[in-house]
Amino acid sequence: MLYIIDASVTASWLLPDENVPAAQNILDKLASADGLVPPLWLYEVTNICVMAFRRGRLSQHQLTDALNRMDKLPIKVETDIPLLPIRYLAERYALTIYDAAYLELALRLDGQLATFDKALAAAALANGVLARA
């Protein structure tokens, strides 16, 4: 099984105040499945962690720990990103280009998309690629 993991799920793994059991279930599944993300995930998740630090949700030590744990997650970055299908999906489902990149990966590579974003989850469900935790 291939799981496409978006930033909302990853944030749940890294930020203590966003811990959600459904996200932990996805992380547990990565012990025997593949995890994949588009390149923007690196910046998106790092930004989430830095913003959490700036807002006082993480200490400096917790920020460093979160970024170290992020580096060790069993997730690979997909570098083949076809822009036209992403644009099409963004328009069709009224998604941001960023969210459409996750959906495009799930569709193209026959994966399951793990997200807590409602609009993205609806688009993934409509296409039969929404991961069940």
Side-chain angles (χ1 to χ4, degrees):
M1 177 67 67
L2 173 65
Y3 288 96
I4 311 305
I5 311 297
D6 87 340
S8 66
V9 171
T10 310
S12 181
W13 299 335
L14 302 177
L15 302 177
D17 61 347
E18 289 195 22
N19 192 337
V20 176
Q24 186 60 47
N25 290 341
I26 295 293
L27 183 57
D28 292 344
K29 289 178 181 183
L30 291 180
S32 61
D34 294 321
L36 192 67
V37 295
L40 68 96
W41 174 88
L42 296 164
Y43 303 108
E44 210 175 1
V45 175
T46 301
N47 188 63
I48 288 169
C49 292
V50 169
M51 291 295 106
F53 167 72
R54 287 183 186 169
R55 293 179 179 134
R57 293 173 55 202
L58 292 178
S59 67
Q60 182 69 49
H61 174 75
Q62 289 172 313
L63 172 60
T64 300
D65 180 60
L67 296 177
N68 284 331
R69 284 187 290 133
M70 180 182 156
D71 282 340
K72 294 175 183 163
L73 288 171
I75 294 174
K76 294 181 182 173
V77 177
E78 170 65 35
T79 57
D80 182 22
I81 304 297
L83 297 178
L84 289 178
I86 292 170
R87 185 188 131 225
Y88 167 77
L89 291 168
E91 290 175 2
R92 181 170 183 195
Y93 295 103
L95 299 171
T96 65
I97 291 293
Y98 311 111
D99 287 346
Y102 292 102
L103 180 58
E104 187 280 330
L105 266 180
L107 291 170
R108 178 167 44 97
L109 300 177
D110 195 30
Q112 294 292 294
L113 177 58
T115 183
F116 295 133
D117 180 280
K118 289 181 182 173
L120 182 53
L125 182 62
N127 286 277
V129 296
L130 182 63
R132 303 289 181 200

